[in-house]
Amino acid sequence: MNSNTSFHDLPALDTAKLPAHVAIIMDGNGRWAKKRYLNRINGHKKGTEVVRTIVRTSREIGISILSLYAFSTENWQRPQKEVAALMTLLKNFLQSELKEMMDNNIRLTSIGQIERLPENVKMALHKATTATRENNGMVLNLALSYGGRSEIVRMVRKIAGKTKDGLIDPDSITPELISEHLYTHGMPDPDLLVRTSGEMRISNFFLWQIAYSEIFFTDTLWPDFNKDEFIQILKDYQNRERRFGKVGS
Ligand code: FPP
């Protein structure tokens, strides 16, 4: 197969230069709803439909890992009604998408303080994670009650504990060892980070992992995000030269 193959209705993406790991900060659900005089929860509902579209598109294109920032450690401070609605949407998503994940060979993983999630969400998550664990077509990695700083604190505690127990020599602490003690151990760092809604912030997502990620900000609110724009962003990524701190070719 030619590396410039365009398949289905996907315009000329270079399949040899796809990002292996795409991470997305899905922002703007509230503003999307406000613009329509709707409750914020309606924005999250529409946002969930977009999650389905982008998961499907990523699988179709051949992305290996799609990480979605679905709920941050800071999001617990939102009004209780909104938190409850987000948890219900999440539980429903995990239940309704399980068949699609199985049919499309998608493995579900999660990162973050999973223990803080309501029992019914934890159960749905456990069920979907277990059922899909042998799938190898794509990883859908949901960041839930996730925060980059608390992930780093957790990693430091783990490494400090092992050092104290004499299992790790401080001189053998390397960037690789640190990566192995993060939630994302075993995953390559994101090649591409996308944030919707025009905000130019990282908001405590993947602080360690995005050292060399290409970053793309779009003004589009998450509920308005779609397959075409996602493909345009992937094409833009393919035109960038990644130097990893070295000189260009
Ligand atoms: C940011 O919009 C979005 C979130 C805090 C939650 C993201 C959740 C979803 C897209 C739906 C549920 C997820 C899954 C995986 C089923 P915001 O509320 O901060 O928007 P605003 O900045 O305009 O207020």
Side-chain angles (χ1 to χ4, degrees), residues 69-105:
Y69 201 9
F71 196 86
S72 73
T73 44
E74 291 71 30
N75 287 156
W76 291 113
Q77 289 156 42
R78 293 192 174 201
Q80 200 268 328
K81 248 182 143 171
E82 184 174 342
V83 171
L86 277 165
M87 291 299 144
T88 302
L89 281 171
L90 191 58
K91 175 185 66 79
N92 293 346
F93 173 86
L94 292 166
Q95 291 171 341
S96 66
E97 295 312 290
L98 181 52
K99 184 176 181 308
E100 171 135 359
M101 288 192 272
M102 290 309 291
D103 289 349
N104 291 297
N105 198 16

Side-chain angles (χ1 to χ4, degrees), residues 56-177:
R56 202 167 292 158
T57 304
S58 301
R59 174 71 183 103
E60 238 180 323
I61 290 172
I63 303 289
S64 301
I65 306 173
L66 176 67
S67 287
L68 299 178
Y69 201 9
F71 196 86
S72 73
T73 44
E74 291 71 30
N75 287 156
W76 291 113
Q77 289 156 42
R78 293 192 174 201
Q80 200 268 328
K81 248 182 143 171
E82 184 174 342
V83 171
L86 277 165
M87 291 299 144
T88 302
L89 281 171
L90 191 58
K91 175 185 66 79
N92 293 346
F93 173 86
L94 292 166
Q95 291 171 341
S96 66
E97 295 312 290
L98 181 52
K99 184 176 181 308
E100 171 135 359
M101 288 192 272
M102 290 309 291
D103 289 349
N104 291 297
N105 198 16
I106 295 173
R107 177 156 73 96
L108 182 82
T109 59
S110 59
I111 53 172
Q113 304 162 334
I114 303 305
E115 65 285 356
R116 289 182 74 182
L117 300 172
E119 211 52 49
N120 59 359
V121 177
K122 272 194 279 196
M123 274 168 64
L125 190 60
H126 179 72
K127 188 173 173 199
T129 306
T130 310
T132 62
R133 71 188 335 155
E134 303 294 332
N135 293 350
N136 58 11
M138 181 179 93
V139 173
L140 170 60
N141 181 40
L142 296 182
L144 302 169
S145 189
Y146 172 88
R149 285 188 170 180
S150 65
E151 178 183 40
I152 288 173
V153 168
R154 178 177 171 274
M155 170 274 292
V156 171
R157 286 187 181 148
K158 279 177 184 279
I159 294 182
K162 288 186 189 177
T163 307
K164 190 172 143 221
D165 293 344
L167 299 168
I168 292 179
D169 171 359
D171 289 336
S172 70
I173 299 174
T174 58
E176 290 74 25
L177 187 97

Side-chain angles (χ1 to χ4, degrees), residues 24-78:
I24 307 184
I25 302 174
M26 310 179 288
D27 193 17
N29 294 349
R31 275 162 286 166
W32 182 91
K34 195 172 176 199
K35 268 173 53 180
R36 287 162 179 77
Y37 305 100
L38 295 169
N39 186 295
R40 296 176 56 82
I41 292 164
N42 291 93
H44 296 313
K45 280 190 185 149
K46 182 69 175 39
T48 305
E49 287 173 32
V50 178
V51 169
R52 290 195 178 94
T53 306
I54 298 307
V55 170
R56 202 167 292 158
T57 304
S58 301
R59 174 71 183 103
E60 238 180 323
I61 290 172
I63 303 289
S64 301
I65 306 173
L66 176 67
S67 287
L68 299 178
Y69 201 9
F71 196 86
S72 73
T73 44
E74 291 71 30
N75 287 156
W76 291 113
Q77 289 156 42
R78 293 192 174 201

Side-chain angles (χ1 to χ4, degrees), residues 113-244:
Q113 304 162 334
I114 303 305
E115 65 285 356
R116 289 182 74 182
L117 300 172
E119 211 52 49
N120 59 359
V121 177
K122 272 194 279 196
M123 274 168 64
L125 190 60
H126 179 72
K127 188 173 173 199
T129 306
T130 310
T132 62
R133 71 188 335 155
E134 303 294 332
N135 293 350
N136 58 11
M138 181 179 93
V139 173
L140 170 60
N141 181 40
L142 296 182
L144 302 169
S145 189
Y146 172 88
R149 285 188 170 180
S150 65
E151 178 183 40
I152 288 173
V153 168
R154 178 177 171 274
M155 170 274 292
V156 171
R157 286 187 181 148
K158 279 177 184 279
I159 294 182
K162 288 186 189 177
T163 307
K164 190 172 143 221
D165 293 344
L167 299 168
I168 292 179
D169 171 359
D171 289 336
S172 70
I173 299 174
T174 58
E176 290 74 25
L177 187 97
I178 288 177
S179 295
E180 277 168 31
H181 287 81
L182 296 175
Y183 287 122
T184 46
H185 57 88
M187 282 184 197
D189 289 338
D191 302 290
L192 172 65
L193 172 71
V194 178
R195 181 176 188 142
T196 59
S197 94
E199 307 289 355
M200 309 281 225
R201 289 190 288 272
I202 300 302
S203 299
N204 206 12
F205 194 36
F206 280 168
L207 297 181
W208 171 270
Q209 295 89 337
I210 59 167
Y212 288 103
S213 304
E214 293 295 324
I215 303 186
F216 196 100
F217 295 104
T218 169
D219 287 338
T220 305
L221 302 174
W222 178 252
D224 288 327
F225 195 68
N226 60 27
K227 176 175 177 167
D228 287 345
E229 184 168 5
F230 188 40
I231 290 166
Q232 286 312 315
I233 291 173
L234 293 171
K235 284 168 95 177
D236 182 278
Y237 166 87
Q238 298 194 323
N239 289 326
R240 293 189 189 182
E241 186 194 18
R242 301 188 73 195
R243 291 195 296 275
F244 299 95

